[in-house]
Amino acid sequence: MAGKYEPQPFHVIGPDAEEGQFGCIISSGFQTLAVSVRLAWQANGLQATNLGAGTLDQLNWLKPVRPGDTLSVEMEVMEKRQSRSKPDRGFVRFKYTTFNQDGEAVMTMECPQIVSCRT
């Protein structure tokens, strides 16, 4: 299935990946992004207040994610403000940092979330 949608052989074909610049198959950056969002969603407590996000900013893949890596995600609140036009919601900008099992940052991104809030 991955070969159908993933055009880069270092993500899906063992021999090509082993001879490539990374020395083995690595995760697609978008797969790393999807896993990171899932981990953050499970842990962040926003499930009851999240109203979505319209953009991702400053998405950076810093290191390859390799088979067997264990990922964790930290979220930092960068800023928050209440909506001027809709007082029942606000905006929170989070910085996500994804780490591998060695504590190395493998991905960062900023994501402004729309959240419900008390008036």
Side-chain angles (χ1 to χ4, degrees), residues 31-110:
Q31 182 66 33
T32 301
L33 173 62
V35 169
S36 299
V37 170
R38 175 64 181 199
L39 289 170
W41 178 258
Q42 289 175 309
N44 72 16
L46 286 175
Q47 293 87 343
T49 60
N50 182 49
L51 299 174
T55 187
L56 293 176
D57 298 330
Q58 304 296 322
L59 175 59
N60 299 288
W61 292 297
L62 307 171
K63 289 186 172 283
V65 174
R66 302 175 186 280
D69 281 358
T70 300
L71 301 180
S72 61
V73 177
E74 289 183 2
M75 293 174 63
E76 176 186 350
V77 174
M78 304 291 289
E79 64 181 283
K80 61 181 182 172
R81 68 177 173 84
Q82 192 165 2
S83 171
R84 289 184 278 280
S85 61
K86 298 180 180 178
D88 66 332
R89 63 192 64 186
F91 304 93
V92 181
R93 175 176 287 278
F94 291 101
K95 179 177 182 182
Y96 293 73
T97 304
T98 304
F99 297 94
N100 65 16
Q101 68 281 353
D102 297 321
E104 300 170 316
V106 298
M107 189 193 83
T108 60
M109 71 171 173
E110 292 183 18

